[in-house]
Amino acid sequence: MTWRRPLLTTVLCVLALSPFAFSRQARPKADNAQMRTQGAKQNASEGEKRFRTNCGRCHNAPEEISPREARAVVRQMRVRAMLSAEDEKLILQYLAP
Amino acid sequence: MKYRWLLSVVLLFGCSVRVQAQENVPILSGGAGFFGAAQGGVHFYQPVLAPVLTVPLGEKWLVESRADLREFISRENGTSGPYQGKFFGTLEYLQLDYLANSHVTITAGRFLTPFGIFNERLSAIWIDKFQDPPVIAGIGTGRGYSDGFMLRGPLVATPGYQLNYAVYFSTLSTVNKFESQRGTGGRIGIFLPRTRLELGASYRRTLQGGGENFQGVDLSWAPYAAPVEIKSEWAHSDGGHGYWIQASYRLSHLTGRDSGLGRLEPVIRMQQFFRSKPVPDDFLPTGNLQRPEFGLNYYFPHEIRLNGSYARQYFSNTTDSNVWEFGITYRFLFPLWPGGSK
């Protein structure tokens, strides 16, 4: 009988605090997802800028390019246009988000 | 039991290759075109196919190749007689690239000679805004390609400026269709990303025969404020020296890039060449030449471009002539094996 009351109190406390615990875990997850989306948008925007700066001064952007094709195209442009590894990464994120 | 183990390994290897294949899909791109020209009463036509094969291998390797396949169709006696065709096939590059780090790419095989800006960047038929290459395109590049190895990349890359370089060594080859000259050279350029202005200097020395030096300077400017592109090269060889300067202006700011008027791009080019002395097989005019040109490019949807141009050619060795040119190019790109869009 003596051990039932502390156990019941502990279970009730855990149940009472659990929404806070979950909400506290959930909020950073939402923030992380939001930050990742913002980061991806920023990278895509920076990638578009790098594309205009480097590729756009010699030729137009391809009208349609699938993500499957983009990797080979950007790799080739890295060699041809002497892009840095960072340029390659950002332009790839822009062409194949 | 050991067969089951072997089967597992094979299946695992197959899956890993498939995963890698999905990431690194080889592509076939390039351009197809049909060109026509009339100069001094002589008409000729050229259907052209320029396929580009690009095969990325893992994270560091790339195999790339471009060929130029064309039929040169003209009358048998210049201005009279039946039309006849002659086929020309050229392997312009077939190279293996190793991306050692952000600053160095090592290339081996046949590659476009890095001299000036035209040969490497603008010579593709779907990029070049005129049908003919500049008359000085042969200075420092010869046939346009070299067989050997090359180091290239951005030496310094900051938001304010980029310093890029390419150095190469080319071997002598007399194999039919794979001829190349023994030589060495390179190009160094400084690019200002904020203004899209680039200045470059090139040098080449042939290491056969008497040895010949080539020097070149190039400029490229594409301001952000307007859809204008200005490009220019000056080059010097023992046989002569010359320059070309080209300006294009796409009318996209008036009614939008995809509007009827916004797809039109007038372009002008002026070029001069001054012969110093005759040099056999130097791919240059045999005398002094001046050539002002005016052209119009129209960019249709689906990567189709129409172009037409007029040039007046003043040539010291023959009478002056008008040069009319027209062409249509189609730029294509597709993966080499089927799959989804992702």
Side-chain angles (χ1 to χ4, degrees), chain A residues 52-54 56-58 60 62-63 66-69 71-73 75-76 78-80 82-85, chain B residues 23-24 58 61 64 93 99 101-102 152 165 196 198 224 231 257 302-303 331 333 335 340-342:
Chain A
R52 283 190 67 204
T53 301
N54 294 286
R57 62 196 176 111
C58 284
N60 298 325
E63 280 182 17
S66 72
R68 295 179 73 225
E69 300 154 351
R71 180 180 283 260
V73 170
R75 177 80 55 85
Q76 187 188 30
R78 176 174 168 183
V79 176
R80 186 75 53 221
M82 293 190 259
L83 304 176
S84 66
Chain B
E23 291 174 349
N24 289 321
W61 297 87
E64 49 177 333
Y93 59 85
L99 287 73
N101 57 49
S102 192
R152 62 189 291 134
Y165 72 97
R196 286 206 296 191
E198 183 173 6
Y224 290 104
K231 297 183 192 307
R257 194 174 179 82
H302 309 296
E303 311 283 5
R331 180 188 179 192
L333 190 157
S341 60
K342 297 290 177 187

Side-chain angles (χ1 to χ4, degrees), chain B residues 91-171:
Chain B
L91 181 66
E92 294 182 318
Y93 59 85
L94 172 57
Q95 62 189 69
L96 176 67
D97 305 315
Y98 175 65
L99 287 73
N101 57 49
S102 192
H103 304 287
V104 181
T105 296
I106 302 166
T107 294
R110 166 166 291 185
F111 49 85
L112 294 173
T113 307
F115 189 97
I117 50 174
F118 180 82
N119 193 42
E120 275 200 314
R121 301 184 193 175
L122 310 175
S123 62
I125 61 167
W126 60 95
I127 294 177
D128 193 7
K129 296 181 192 297
F130 283 101
Q131 195 184 120
D132 288 335
V135 291
I136 62 164
I139 297 180
T141 61
R143 295 174 186 276
Y145 46 75
S146 299
D147 295 340
F149 65 87
M150 172 170 59
L151 301 177
R152 62 189 291 134
L155 203 62
V156 182
T158 69
Y161 72 97
Q162 289 175 16
L163 200 61
N164 52 60
Y165 72 97
V167 290
Y168 69 93
F169 176 80
S170 175
T171 58

Side-chain angles (χ1 to χ4, degrees), chain B:
Chain B
M1 187 68 186
K2 67 179 179 182
Y3 293 112
R4 189 175 295 170
W5 177 82
L6 189 65
L7 185 67
S8 304
V9 170
V10 169
L11 282 173
L12 195 64
F13 179 75
C15 288
S16 68
V17 167
R18 183 65 188 159
V19 166
Q20 183 155 323
Q22 283 175 342
E23 291 174 349
N24 289 321
V25 179
I27 58 166
L28 185 65
S29 60
F34 183 83
F35 301 127
Q39 181 174 4
V42 179
H43 297 253
F44 42 91
Y45 306 94
Q46 296 178 77
V48 186
L49 181 65
V52 178
L53 176 69
T54 309
V55 184
L57 303 167
E59 294 297 315
K60 295 276 187 180
W61 297 87
L62 180 72
V63 177
E64 49 177 333
S65 175
R66 186 174 87 196
D68 185 283
L69 312 169
R70 66 178 68 206
E71 185 92 3
F72 189 84
I73 302 165
S74 62
R75 285 185 182 274
E76 193 175 1
N77 303 314
T79 54
S80 63
Y83 278 97
Q84 59 183 14
K86 191 174 180 187
F87 175 77
F88 295 90
T90 310
L91 181 66
E92 294 182 318
Y93 59 85
L94 172 57
Q95 62 189 69
L96 176 67
D97 305 315
Y98 175 65
L99 287 73
N101 57 49
S102 192
H103 304 287
V104 181
T105 296
I106 302 166
T107 294
R110 166 166 291 185
F111 49 85
L112 294 173
T113 307
F115 189 97
I117 50 174
F118 180 82
N119 193 42
E120 275 200 314
R121 301 184 193 175
L122 310 175
S123 62
I125 61 167
W126 60 95
I127 294 177
D128 193 7
K129 296 181 192 297
F130 283 101
Q131 195 184 120
D132 288 335
V135 291
I136 62 164
I139 297 180
T141 61
R143 295 174 186 276
Y145 46 75
S146 299
D147 295 340
F149 65 87
M150 172 170 59
L151 301 177
R152 62 189 291 134
L155 203 62
V156 182
T158 69
Y161 72 97
Q162 289 175 16
L163 200 61
N164 52 60
Y165 72 97
V167 290
Y168 69 93
F169 176 80
S170 175
T171 58
L172 172 67
S173 170
T174 54
V175 178
N176 186 29
K177 301 283 183 195
F178 291 92
E179 299 93 344
S180 70
Q181 287 186 317
R182 183 178 163 85
T184 186
R187 178 184 177 276
I188 188 157
I190 182 162
F191 174 52
L192 309 176
R194 291 192 181 112
T195 52
R196 286 206 296 191
L197 174 70
E198 183 173 6
L199 288 168
S202 308
Y203 174 76
R204 174 182 170 88
R205 179 169 175 78
T206 53
L207 302 172
Q208 62 184 70
E212 187 179 359
N213 294 314
F214 303 88
Q215 302 87 21
V217 179
D218 58 79
L219 176 145
S220 168
W221 184 39
Y224 290 104
V228 174
E229 285 178 26
I230 294 170
K231 297 183 192 307
S232 182
E233 278 185 347
W234 171 86
H236 178 272
S237 70
D238 289 354
H241 65 97
Y243 73 89
W244 61 269
I245 181 165
Q246 175 180 303
S248 60
Y249 180 54
R250 186 158 172 176
L251 304 176
S252 54
H253 73 291
L254 298 174
T255 52
R257 194 174 179 82
D258 295 329
S259 65
L261 191 61
R263 293 179 178 277
L264 189 64
E265 183 185 52
V267 52
I268 55 171
R269 182 169 71 179
M270 177 66 197
Q271 42 184 338
Q272 283 189 293
F273 175 73
F274 305 96
R275 173 60 80 175
S276 309
K277 65 176 184 182
V279 175
D281 302 327
D282 66 352
F283 304 99
L284 294 169
T286 52
N288 293 347
L289 183 141
Q290 289 182 60
R291 186 166 157 151
E293 291 166 273
F294 172 76
L296 282 173
N297 287 315
Y298 195 84
Y299 296 88
F300 283 97
H302 309 296
E303 311 283 5
I304 294 170
R305 186 186 66 176
L306 271 182
N307 59 13
S309 67
Y310 165 75
R312 179 71 180 165
Q313 186 161 291
Y314 303 94
F315 193 35
S316 63
N317 287 10
T318 58
T319 54
D320 303 340
S321 60
N322 296 320
V323 185
W324 293 92
E325 293 177 332
F326 69 91
I328 182 168
T329 55
Y330 170 62
R331 180 188 179 192
F332 56 85
L333 190 157
F334 51 86
L336 268 184
W337 56 63
S341 60
K342 297 290 177 187

